[in-house]
Amino acid sequence: MRVLALTAGFMLGLGIPALAQESVTAAPAPATTATELMELGYDRHDRPTVPVTIDNAGAYNFLIDTGSQATVLSRGLADALALSDRQPVTLIGVASRLATHTVAMTGLTIGQRRTDVPRAVLVEGQHIGGADGVLGVDALQGQRVLFDFTRRTMTIATPEEARSSRGYEIVVRARTRSGQLIITDTQIEGVRTAVVIDTGAEVSVGNEALARRLRARQREKTELTDINGAVAYGHVHIADSAEIGRLRLTSVPIVFTPSPVFHALDLEDRPAMFLGMRELRLLRRIAIDFKTRRILFDVPTTEREMAEAWARLIEP
């Protein structure tokens, strides 16, 4: 039985349902207009990381989680920075809901681009792979974020700075819910499915509605450890195909588990899935444009590029 890691997190603040706060506050224009290029690191679960600073302190190692609504700080870092003004909040993970706190902070900066994330959620550092924090989509609003898996880099720019779609074979549109981009033009073995691109998940996770439609058999069992440290038990189904627009993936492992995250996004009763890093790393590049609600895919087209893609799965 494998133990897999996921960091997706959603907030229920002071008893108010997350979906009643329908949108995440968009970050203002960054302090610099220069496109920011950074080298990607990877944690032991093959999830991307970048250095950030907080009020000119750091750099600190943060996971980048496009599946998480909220930016997260480890309690150890918050204590070291003497961050106060803590307010109660409920953090929803893949396996659990947990009462915790948010903390006020200023000057969260990715490279040279300053964001406007006024509060972050506190979690235990061991539950985020020993990282100092997690960048959620609240830190990425209004930006185009490009992951280049061939060069191991991440680029952040405004859509105005990164106008071109040249080099991307496939472009799909998404809709927004609670700050998340949800792709609706997806077919999993012919079943229409809502998909969230999730760089914070080691593998793809599907809900029970999708499992029922696929008639997925409960074969290999696995455990999922979430951002709260809770464990969910699921079973693995190998989907013959997943089609996102014109992008076609084959033999896609999906872990099915009854997760409260799907309920938080109002996706509990329809087929839905978080697409994790195992599949994303097969791409050459993926750009997520939060302002124009587009996701751009650069796929391997030659035998050499395909070989390089499979090699990334074996050795990050």
Side-chain angles (χ1 to χ4, degrees):
M1 179 181 292
R2 293 190 65 197
V3 179
L4 305 171
L6 305 102
T7 60
F10 293 80
M11 291 185 295
L12 294 180
L14 304 175
I16 303 173
L19 291 180
Q21 309 165 16
E22 183 60 26
S23 62
V24 173
T25 301
T32 175
T33 58
T35 298
E36 187 70 34
L37 175 66
M38 290 165 287
E39 184 176 351
L40 280 177
Y42 288 94
D43 76 350
R44 65 178 182 271
H45 299 290
D46 298 339
R47 300 172 299 184
T49 64
V50 292
V52 307
T53 60
I54 299 175
D55 207 13
N56 296 319
Y60 304 110
N61 193 40
F62 272 50
L63 291 165
I64 313 151
D65 188 359
T66 59
S68 178
Q69 178 197 50
T71 289
V72 165
L73 288 183
S74 71
R75 289 187 182 276
L77 178 58
D79 291 343
L81 295 175
L83 299 178
S84 57
D85 185 17
R86 303 190 180 190
Q87 297 180 6
V89 71
T90 297
L91 181 61
I92 304 174
V94 169
S96 63
R97 292 176 172 85
L98 182 70
T100 181
H101 293 85
T102 63
V103 65
M105 67 175 181
T106 58
L108 177 66
T109 304
I110 311 169
Q112 300 299 315
R113 300 180 81 88
R114 187 183 178 99
T115 70
D116 185 27
V117 178
R119 306 194 68 84
V121 185
L122 297 182
V123 300
E124 300 299 332
Q126 67 264 32
H127 300 156
I128 52 176
D132 296 306
V134 177
L135 291 173
V137 298
D138 56 346
L140 305 173
Q141 294 299 305
Q143 308 290 309
R144 178 189 282 193
V145 183
L146 164 62
F147 297 92
D148 188 327
F149 298 115
T150 63
R151 294 187 172 92
R152 297 174 65 97
T153 60
M154 183 181 81
T155 303
I156 300 180
T158 65
E160 292 76 17
E161 295 165 351
R163 294 176 182 271
S164 176
S165 299
R166 182 178 300 174
Y168 296 97
E169 292 83 4
I170 300 166
V171 179
V172 299
R173 291 198 173 272
R175 60 185 176 89
T176 304
R177 179 169 294 170
S178 297
Q180 291 284 359
L181 295 184
I182 301 174
I183 304 170
T184 57
D185 185 21
T186 303
Q187 302 279 332
I188 309 295
E189 292 185 357
V191 175
R192 188 176 180 87
T193 304
V195 168
V196 174
I197 302 295
D198 189 359
T199 59
E202 186 179 358
V203 295
S204 299
V205 178
N207 65 0
E208 292 185 302
L210 178 59
R212 288 193 296 269
R213 290 290 303 277
L214 296 180
R215 298 181 180 177
R217 297 180 180 178
Q218 298 191 19
R219 296 179 178 174
E220 180 186 355
K221 294 184 178 180
T222 192
E223 296 180 2
L224 303 173
T225 302
D226 75 0
I227 196 167
N228 294 322
V231 175
Y233 298 92
H235 64 278
V236 181
H237 170 77
I238 308 298
D240 293 335
S241 65
E243 299 179 16
I244 304 174
R246 294 186 296 109
L247 173 65
R248 180 179 173 84
L249 303 170
T250 58
S251 301
V252 178
I254 305 172
V255 179
F256 289 109
T257 188
S259 170
V261 167
F262 292 108
H263 178 76
L265 283 173
D266 197 24
L267 293 174
E268 188 174 33
D269 297 326
R270 57 173 293 189
M273 181 179 78
F274 281 73
L275 187 67
M277 282 299 297
R278 182 192 180 277
E279 278 61 54
L280 297 177
R281 287 172 63 83
L282 289 171
L283 303 169
R284 299 186 74 248
R285 299 180 300 163
I286 180 171
I288 305 172
D289 194 322
F290 287 94
K291 185 173 183 179
T292 64
R293 294 179 294 178
R294 297 188 306 162
I295 301 173
L296 303 87
F297 299 92
D298 179 10
V299 300
T301 56
T302 67
E303 290 186 6
R304 178 178 177 179
E305 290 173 351
M306 287 298 299
E308 290 172 348
W310 284 109
R312 288 194 292 274
L313 290 184
I314 300 171
E315 185 176 355

